[in-house]
Structures are given as structure tokens and as C-alpha cells.
Short mmCIF file of all heavy atoms in Angstrom, two decimals:
data_model
loop_
_atom_site.label_atom_id
_atom_site.label_comp_id
_atom_site.label_asym_id
_atom_site.label_seq_id
_atom_site.Cartn_x
_atom_site.Cartn_y
_atom_site.Cartn_z
N LEU A 18 284.37 120.94 126.01
CA LEU A 18 283.67 119.84 125.34
C LEU A 18 284.24 119.60 123.94
O LEU A 18 284.41 118.46 123.52
CB LEU A 18 282.16 120.15 125.27
CG LEU A 18 281.22 119.01 124.92
CD1 LEU A 18 281.36 117.85 125.90
CD2 LEU A 18 279.79 119.51 124.89
N THR A 19 284.53 120.68 123.24
CA THR A 19 285.15 120.58 121.91
C THR A 19 286.66 120.75 122.12
O THR A 19 287.23 121.80 121.81
CB THR A 19 284.60 121.68 120.98
OG1 THR A 19 284.78 122.95 121.61
CG2 THR A 19 283.14 121.46 120.66
N LEU A 20 287.27 119.73 122.62
CA LEU A 20 288.65 119.76 123.10
C LEU A 20 289.65 120.36 122.11
O LEU A 20 290.49 121.17 122.49
CB LEU A 20 289.07 118.33 123.47
CG LEU A 20 290.19 118.19 124.47
CD1 LEU A 20 289.96 119.01 125.72
CD2 LEU A 20 290.38 116.73 124.82
N ARG A 21 289.57 119.97 120.85
CA ARG A 21 290.54 120.43 119.85
C ARG A 21 290.28 121.88 119.42
O ARG A 21 291.15 122.51 118.82
CB ARG A 21 290.52 119.52 118.62
CG ARG A 21 291.12 118.17 118.91
CD ARG A 21 291.24 117.27 117.68
NE ARG A 21 291.03 117.90 116.40
CZ ARG A 21 290.08 117.53 115.54
NH1 ARG A 21 289.25 116.57 115.84
NH2 ARG A 21 289.97 118.14 114.38
N HIS A 22 289.10 122.39 119.69
CA HIS A 22 288.75 123.76 119.30
C HIS A 22 288.65 124.59 120.58
O HIS A 22 287.61 124.60 121.24
CB HIS A 22 287.44 123.78 118.51
CG HIS A 22 287.55 123.05 117.22
ND1 HIS A 22 288.00 123.67 116.07
CD2 HIS A 22 287.33 121.77 116.90
CE1 HIS A 22 288.03 122.79 115.10
NE2 HIS A 22 287.63 121.62 115.57
N TYR A 23 289.73 125.25 120.91
CA TYR A 23 289.82 126.00 122.16
C TYR A 23 289.93 127.49 121.86
O TYR A 23 290.31 127.89 120.75
CB TYR A 23 291.03 125.53 122.97
CG TYR A 23 292.33 125.63 122.23
CD1 TYR A 23 293.11 126.78 122.30
CD2 TYR A 23 292.78 124.58 121.42
CE1 TYR A 23 294.29 126.90 121.59
CE2 TYR A 23 293.97 124.69 120.71
CZ TYR A 23 294.72 125.84 120.81
OH TYR A 23 295.89 125.95 120.10
N PRO A 24 289.62 128.33 122.84
CA PRO A 24 289.75 129.78 122.63
C PRO A 24 291.20 130.17 122.39
O PRO A 24 292.08 129.88 123.21
CB PRO A 24 289.23 130.38 123.95
CG PRO A 24 288.38 129.31 124.55
CD PRO A 24 289.01 128.01 124.14
N LYS A 25 291.46 130.80 121.24
CA LYS A 25 292.82 131.21 120.87
C LYS A 25 293.02 132.71 121.02
O LYS A 25 294.11 133.21 120.76
CB LYS A 25 293.11 130.80 119.43
CG LYS A 25 293.10 129.30 119.22
CD LYS A 25 293.30 128.94 117.77
CE LYS A 25 293.17 127.44 117.59
NZ LYS A 25 293.09 127.06 116.19
N CYS A 26 291.98 133.42 121.42
CA CYS A 26 292.09 134.87 121.59
C CYS A 26 291.25 135.27 122.80
O CYS A 26 290.39 134.51 123.25
CB CYS A 26 291.62 135.60 120.33
SG CYS A 26 289.92 135.20 119.84
N ARG A 27 291.50 136.44 123.31
CA ARG A 27 290.78 136.88 124.53
C ARG A 27 289.28 136.99 124.28
O ARG A 27 288.49 136.70 125.17
CB ARG A 27 291.38 138.16 125.09
CG ARG A 27 291.09 139.41 124.31
CD ARG A 27 291.76 140.65 124.88
NE ARG A 27 293.18 140.53 124.68
CZ ARG A 27 294.10 140.87 125.57
NH1 ARG A 27 293.75 141.40 126.71
NH2 ARG A 27 295.37 140.71 125.31
N GLU A 28 288.87 137.38 123.07
CA GLU A 28 287.45 137.50 122.77
C GLU A 28 286.76 136.14 122.90
O GLU A 28 285.66 136.04 123.46
CB GLU A 28 287.26 138.07 121.36
CG GLU A 28 287.75 139.49 121.18
CD GLU A 28 289.26 139.63 120.94
OE1 GLU A 28 289.97 138.61 120.84
OE2 GLU A 28 289.72 140.78 120.86
N ALA A 29 287.39 135.10 122.37
CA ALA A 29 286.82 133.75 122.45
C ALA A 29 286.77 133.26 123.89
O ALA A 29 285.79 132.61 124.30
CB ALA A 29 287.61 132.79 121.58
N ALA A 30 287.79 133.57 124.68
CA ALA A 30 287.80 133.16 126.09
C ALA A 30 286.68 133.86 126.86
O ALA A 30 285.99 133.24 127.68
CB ALA A 30 289.16 133.47 126.72
N ILE A 31 286.47 135.13 126.58
CA ILE A 31 285.40 135.89 127.26
C ILE A 31 284.04 135.29 126.93
O ILE A 31 283.22 135.06 127.82
CB ILE A 31 285.46 137.39 126.86
CG1 ILE A 31 286.73 138.03 127.41
CG2 ILE A 31 284.21 138.13 127.35
CD1 ILE A 31 287.04 139.40 126.80
N VAL A 32 283.77 135.03 125.65
CA VAL A 32 282.47 134.47 125.25
C VAL A 32 282.30 133.06 125.82
O VAL A 32 281.20 132.70 126.27
CB VAL A 32 282.29 134.50 123.72
CG1 VAL A 32 281.04 133.72 123.30
CG2 VAL A 32 282.20 135.94 123.23
N CYS A 33 283.34 132.28 125.86
CA CYS A 33 283.28 130.93 126.42
C CYS A 33 282.83 130.99 127.88
O CYS A 33 281.93 130.25 128.30
CB CYS A 33 284.65 130.26 126.29
SG CYS A 33 284.68 128.51 126.73
N VAL A 34 283.40 131.89 128.66
CA VAL A 34 283.03 132.06 130.07
C VAL A 34 281.61 132.61 130.18
O VAL A 34 280.79 132.11 130.96
CB VAL A 34 284.04 132.98 130.80
CG1 VAL A 34 283.52 133.40 132.16
CG2 VAL A 34 285.39 132.30 130.91
N ALA A 35 281.31 133.65 129.40
CA ALA A 35 279.98 134.28 129.46
C ALA A 35 278.89 133.28 129.09
O ALA A 35 277.83 133.25 129.72
CB ALA A 35 279.93 135.49 128.52
N ASP A 36 279.14 132.45 128.08
CA ASP A 36 278.16 131.45 127.65
C ASP A 36 277.84 130.49 128.78
O ASP A 36 276.68 130.17 129.04
CB ASP A 36 278.69 130.71 126.43
CG ASP A 36 277.74 129.64 125.93
OD1 ASP A 36 276.55 129.96 125.70
OD2 ASP A 36 278.17 128.49 125.77
N LYS A 37 278.85 130.02 129.48
CA LYS A 37 278.63 129.07 130.57
C LYS A 37 277.87 129.72 131.73
O LYS A 37 276.94 129.13 132.27
CB LYS A 37 279.95 128.47 131.02
CG LYS A 37 280.38 127.40 130.01
CD LYS A 37 281.84 127.15 129.96
CE LYS A 37 282.22 126.20 128.86
NZ LYS A 37 281.82 126.60 127.52
N CYS A 38 278.23 130.94 132.07
CA CYS A 38 277.53 131.66 133.16
C CYS A 38 276.07 131.88 132.80
O CYS A 38 275.17 131.61 133.61
CB CYS A 38 278.21 133.00 133.44
SG CYS A 38 279.86 132.86 134.15
N CYS A 39 275.82 132.37 131.58
CA CYS A 39 274.44 132.63 131.16
C CYS A 39 273.64 131.34 131.08
O CYS A 39 272.47 131.31 131.49
CB CYS A 39 274.43 133.35 129.80
SG CYS A 39 275.06 135.04 129.87
N SER A 40 274.24 130.27 130.57
CA SER A 40 273.54 128.99 130.45
C SER A 40 273.07 128.49 131.82
O SER A 40 271.93 128.04 131.97
CB SER A 40 274.45 127.94 129.80
OG SER A 40 274.77 128.33 128.49
N VAL A 41 273.94 128.57 132.80
CA VAL A 41 273.58 128.14 134.16
C VAL A 41 272.45 129.00 134.70
O VAL A 41 271.45 128.48 135.20
CB VAL A 41 274.81 128.16 135.09
CG1 VAL A 41 274.39 127.99 136.54
CG2 VAL A 41 275.81 127.09 134.68
#
């Protein structure tokens, strides 16, 4: 959704995935 602000490290990618799973 925030296209220009993307995960640049593995920690950010993990939280991005976890956030979507938990939200659902």
C-alpha cells in the first residue's frame, strides 16, 4: 500500500508478513 516505502531488511519483511496474517 505504501509503495515507495518497502521492506529493506529481513526484519521489516517479517513484520510486514506477520502484520497481514494477524490482521486477517
